[in-house]
């Protein structure tokens, strides 16, 4: 790889070095190494890495909240087998301020200067974890839906069937003697006794039968893992921990359309802390490297909640490049945290303010203004920053990361519309804004256009951040974050045509999310029974108990068909 540098990160419990590339943060001229003077205790950074590879994407998922790389190289290969990558790295960023004014942040970038996340579930009473438990949970649980489908079809009727280890070893329960939550990885409880018993008909919680509307696992292939921000001191941000336990799944679908080029990520974020956190933001940090990494642009579509990376010209050059008519890639923030009640904002931008707090029992569950009716906060900030150490460059502290989550530069100046977003460059204004390079999609600046092209930027190495907030993170609160990566390559029309196609595909991804990731599969093929008679074969077609077409009753909702607005 080009321009490798080596940075030594010294910890009291270990010494290690990591080879870094120019695609990661360039070296800070004022820092040659990072020395943590605080006593480190507890967990080591996660080493687990597993590939999600069910469809036209092969990507590596790490166990420490980071993904799309292997600590050295880009690992988001699409098309699979092409040796062309469209992403370099990504991770969750989370930050807020407690009642005493203490900043708390958890984030990952390239592990150059440290680590904020560790493997495993926390003790529910005091939000702690032991070194041994971090080691025990430094793993991904990889599952193919077809394995579970076969289990449902054969377990009760086929004495020769052998349950695969992926089902037997499913981490359904925590160790209650260590204070862990009783329920971890979701499972379908056949007899309703709250105990995962695969030898009694229980299985990982896909909607295999078509009747489990509350299924909590998705995709044709799923990676499940658990990580936290309390396993050790935060050496990436040098901020105080939040006390978070995160149940994550990465998944993809096999399909004969553009869904075959998508991957999705679902995070169940549990606040194990006993104190509230104010002005909290959740963010998806992205370092896209679209083929050749030094000729990229980024931008966003506000209405779609989509962050976009596209080539700066019509050809993506070099051995790593995609060539002419290069693709575009985007990250959609489908689902964000729950808003505070009655905050006066339209957090999901559907034209309604404070919906769910109308004094009505909208869910028919006996609860007036059910807390779960609060609005989902979708992408509320989109920030681009440079790969340098200027005031608009790489974050160097937890304060910088928290500022970026809020759309504020490292010198505490809020983002402004146009130009470079900091009051300079072509088309700059003094108007504060929430979204950088939105094209014409920002309704707050209707009739104007702001892109990297209008700003006069030179294509280069890019990274961006999508965040959702602000909200109050209450003790014990559970929030679900769902994102997806969408990829598109037009056959002609250059890079701009790929961007337009990407937006079309993203609407289909949104429809899939809105349909709870239920893919239209069509009716199951019938079972065929052959009865052999004298000079005659009788074929009998039937639909068994696990078929979705019993009595020719097949019915599925097509997520891509929506009712016209005027009906």
């Amino acid at each position: 790889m080009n321009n490798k540098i080596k940075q030594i990160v010294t910890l009291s419990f270990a010494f290690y070095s990591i080879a870094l590339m120019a695609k990661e943060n360039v070296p800070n001229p004022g820092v040659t190494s990072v020395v943590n003077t605080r006593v480190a205790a507890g967990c080591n950074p996660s080493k687990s890495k597993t590939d999600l590879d069910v469809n036209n994407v092969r990507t590596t998922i790490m166990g420490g909240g980071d993904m799309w790389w292997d600590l050295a190289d880009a690992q988001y290969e699409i098309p699979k087998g092409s040796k062309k990558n469209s992403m370099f790295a990504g991770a969750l960023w989370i930050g807020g301020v407690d009642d005493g004014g203490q900043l708390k942040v958890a984030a990952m970038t390239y592990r150059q200067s440290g680590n904020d996340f560790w493997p495993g579930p926390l003790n529910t009473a005091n939000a702690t974890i032991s070194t041994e438990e971090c080691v025990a949970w430094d793993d991904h649980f990889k599952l193919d839906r077809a394995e579970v489908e076969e289990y449902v079809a054969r377990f009760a009727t086929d004495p020769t069937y052998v349950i695969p280890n992926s089902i037997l070893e499913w981490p359904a329960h925590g160790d209650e003697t260590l204070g862990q939550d009783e329920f971890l990885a979701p499972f379908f409880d056949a007899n309703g006794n709250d105990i995962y018993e695969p030898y009694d008909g229980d299985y990982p919680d896909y909607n295999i039968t078509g009747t489990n509307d509350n299924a909590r696992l998705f995709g044709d292939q799923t990676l499940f893992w658990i990580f936290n921000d309390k396993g050790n001191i935060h050496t990436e941000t040098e901020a105080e921990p939040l006390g978070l336990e995160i149940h994550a799944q990465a998944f993809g679908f096999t399909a004969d359309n553009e869904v075959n080029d998508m991957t999705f990520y679902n995070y169940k974020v549990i606040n194990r802390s006993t104190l509230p956190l104010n002005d909290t933001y959740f963010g998806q940090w992205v370092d896209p490297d679209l083929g050749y990494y030094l000729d990229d642009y980024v931008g966003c579509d506000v209405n779609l909640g989509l962050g976009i990376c596209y080539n700066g010209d019509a050809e993506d050059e070099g051995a790593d490049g995609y060539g002419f008519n290069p693709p575009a890639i985007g990250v959609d923030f489908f689902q964000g945290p729950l808003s505070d009640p009655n905050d006066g904002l339209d957090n999901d931008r559907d034209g309604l303010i404070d919906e769910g707090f109308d004094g009505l029992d909208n869910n028919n569950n006996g609860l007036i203004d059910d807390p779960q009716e609060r609005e989902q906060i979708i992408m509320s900030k989109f920030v681009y920053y440079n790969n340098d150490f200027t005031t608009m460059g790489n974050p160097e502290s937890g304060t910088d990361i928290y500022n970026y989550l809020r759309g504020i530069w490292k010198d505490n100046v809020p983002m402004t519309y146009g130009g470079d977003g900091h009051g300079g460059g072509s088309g700059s204004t003094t108007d504060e804004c929430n979204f950088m390079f939105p094209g014409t999609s920002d309704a707050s600046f209707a009739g104007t256009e702001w892109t990297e092209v209008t700003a006069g930027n030179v294509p280069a190495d890019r990274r961006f951040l999508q965040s959702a907030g602000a909200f109050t993170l209450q003790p014990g609160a559970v929030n679900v974050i769902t994102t997806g990566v969408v990829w598109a390559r037009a056959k002609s029309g250059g890079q701009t045509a790929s961007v337009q196609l990407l937006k079309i595909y993203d609407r289909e991804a949104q429809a899939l999310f809105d349909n709870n990731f239920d893919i239209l599969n069509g009716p199951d093929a019938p079972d065929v029974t052959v009865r052999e008679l004298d000079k005659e074969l009788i074929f009998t077609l039937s639909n068994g108990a696990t078929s979705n077409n019993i009595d020719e009753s097949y019915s599925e909702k097509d997520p891509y068909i929506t009712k016209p607005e005027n009906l």
Side-chain angles (χ1 to χ4, degrees):
M1 304 303 295
N2 294 330
N3 301 324
K4 285 191 176 181
I5 62 175
K6 186 168 289 185
Q7 183 179 61
I8 306 300
V9 181
T10 305
L11 301 174
S12 63
F13 61 82
F15 295 88
Y16 60 91
S17 63
I18 302 174
L20 304 173
M21 298 168 293
K23 283 181 284 190
E24 301 170 58
N25 290 347
V26 296
N28 187 338
V31 178
T32 57
S33 65
V34 176
V35 179
N36 296 298
T37 58
R38 289 175 290 175
V39 176
C43 300
N44 292 327
S46 171
K47 297 179 181 178
S48 179
K49 58 182 179 180
T50 305
D51 282 353
L52 180 70
D53 54 6
V54 69
N55 54 23
N56 198 33
V57 182
R58 183 202 58 79
T59 185
T60 299
I61 307 298
M62 306 297 293
D66 44 354
M67 60 183 67
W68 307 330
W69 74 320
D70 61 1
L71 302 185
D73 298 313
Q75 298 292 334
Y76 197 93
E77 184 184 49
I78 178 171
K80 185 166 62 180
S82 67
K83 298 184 179 181
K84 309 293 184 186
N85 292 283
S86 291
M87 288 288 194
F88 184 73
L92 284 182
W93 287 8
I94 304 170
V97 181
D98 69 15
D99 287 342
Q102 177 69 56
L103 177 65
K104 297 186 176 184
V105 183
M108 296 282 280
T109 54
Y110 310 102
R111 306 197 195 186
Q112 285 174 279
S113 57
N115 191 89
D116 279 9
F117 289 117
W118 296 269
L122 298 174
N123 181 298
T124 60
N126 54 28
T128 60
I129 188 170
S130 68
T131 304
E132 293 75 17
E133 282 303 292
C134 280
V135 172
W137 280 89
D138 192 11
D139 199 3
H140 291 88
F141 298 87
K142 187 172 183 177
L143 192 66
D144 286 332
R145 180 188 172 99
E147 295 175 301
V148 183
E149 290 176 337
E150 184 180 19
Y151 171 92
V152 173
R154 297 180 59 191
F155 170 72
T157 59
D158 185 351
T160 67
Y161 174 69
V162 178
I163 304 176
N165 287 337
S166 59
I167 294 177
L168 291 176
E169 298 172 1
W170 188 242
H173 299 294
D175 189 335
E176 292 184 82
T177 65
L178 298 174
Q180 296 170 358
D181 198 329
E182 179 183 0
F183 301 104
L184 296 178
F187 65 94
F188 180 77
D189 190 5
N191 61 10
N193 68 350
D194 289 337
I195 302 174
Y196 181 63
E197 300 166 316
Y199 287 109
D200 289 334
D202 297 347
Y203 53 87
D205 194 19
Y206 292 104
N207 186 12
I208 300 299
T209 63
T211 59
N212 181 15
D213 293 334
N214 295 317
R216 290 169 292 166
L217 290 174
F218 312 106
D220 292 322
Q221 184 182 85
T222 310
L223 306 185
F224 179 87
W225 73 108
I226 297 176
F227 59 102
N228 69 84
D229 85 315
K230 284 294 293 292
N232 211 317
I233 60 174
H234 286 201
T235 50
E236 169 75 33
T237 61
E238 298 188 348
E240 292 299 312
L242 292 81
L244 300 179
E245 175 179 320
I246 302 171
H247 300 187
Q249 56 176 304
F251 56 98
F253 298 90
T254 56
D256 58 3
N257 60 13
E258 51 278 358
V259 175
N260 204 48
D261 295 330
M262 300 178 186
T263 59
F264 300 92
Y265 309 87
N266 177 270
Y267 305 95
K268 179 182 177 182
V269 183
I270 306 169
N271 183 19
R272 298 294 188 198
S273 172
T274 58
L275 299 173
L277 197 66
N278 307 308
D279 295 319
T280 308
Y281 285 81
F282 286 176
Q284 172 69 63
W285 170 78
V286 180
D287 180 356
D289 280 350
L290 193 64
Y292 177 57
Y293 69 96
L294 288 177
D295 63 349
D296 294 340
Y297 280 146
V298 297
C300 70
D301 188 295
V302 176
N303 298 318
L304 295 176
L306 181 68
I308 303 168
C309 179
Y310 58 103
N311 213 61
D313 54 32
E315 181 185 6
D316 189 29
E317 300 88 353
D320 295 330
Y322 282 97
F324 287 100
N325 295 306
I329 196 164
V331 178
D332 194 314
F333 210 110
F334 295 117
Q335 181 181 16
L338 296 173
S339 66
D340 289 347
N342 299 313
D343 63 1
L345 301 174
D346 179 15
N347 294 284
D348 53 7
R349 287 196 291 276
D350 64 353
L352 301 175
I353 295 175
D354 292 329
E355 55 193 295
F357 289 87
D358 51 12
L360 301 176
D361 179 12
N362 296 294
N363 287 343
N364 296 316
N365 59 5
L367 296 176
I368 302 300
D369 292 342
D370 184 350
Q372 294 305 311
E373 292 180 35
R374 288 181 291 169
E375 291 179 312
Q376 296 282 346
I377 307 176
I378 59 177
M379 184 179 79
S380 49
K381 305 286 182 183
F382 179 87
V383 179
Y384 153 75
Y385 66 86
N386 298 308
N387 187 9
D388 56 35
F389 288 91
T390 64
T391 58
M392 301 169 60
N394 296 312
E396 301 172 71
S397 67
T399 299
D400 293 343
I401 284 175
Y402 185 58
N403 273 349
Y404 279 158
L405 285 166
R406 299 185 299 155
I408 298 174
W409 298 113
K410 291 163 61 177
D411 59 358
N412 295 314
V413 174
M415 286 192 313
T416 54
Y417 187 85
D420 62 7
H422 195 275
S426 176
S428 64
T429 72
T430 58
D431 298 324
E432 292 186 17
C433 67
N434 294 319
F435 309 100
M436 292 190 68
F437 310 133
T440 59
S441 68
D442 190 344
S444 298
F445 298 91
T448 62
E449 180 179 15
W450 181 25
T451 68
E452 292 216 61
V453 175
T454 65
N457 289 352
V458 176
D461 184 18
R462 297 294 192 249
R463 61 275 331 265
F464 63 78
L465 173 70
Q466 300 159 275
S467 66
F471 67 100
T472 304
L473 183 62
Q474 298 289 353
V478 178
N479 284 278
V480 178
I481 310 299
T482 305
T483 63
V485 178
V486 183
W487 189 89
R489 186 173 191 176
K491 295 182 179 179
S492 61
Q495 73 278 22
T496 56
S498 291
V499 172
Q500 296 308 310
L501 187 61
L502 181 78
K503 294 181 180 182
I504 294 172
Y505 289 172
D506 182 64
R507 290 184 177 92
E508 297 182 7
Q510 181 67 54
L512 186 59
F513 167 78
D514 293 341
N515 198 46
N516 200 35
F517 292 110
D518 283 339
I519 293 283
L520 189 66
N521 295 311
D524 292 341
D527 299 320
V528 180
T529 303
V530 181
R531 183 182 178 191
E532 189 173 346
L533 301 176
D534 183 31
K535 298 181 180 180
E536 184 179 13
L537 296 175
I538 297 178
F539 293 84
T540 302
L541 304 181
S542 62
N543 294 292
T546 61
S547 172
N548 67 5
N549 195 29
I550 298 175
D551 298 325
E552 286 69 51
S553 60
Y554 163 76
S555 176
E556 281 190 272
K557 174 186 174 183
D558 189 336
Y560 302 140
I561 298 177
T562 58
K563 184 175 72 173
E565 294 181 358
N566 59 347
L567 293 181

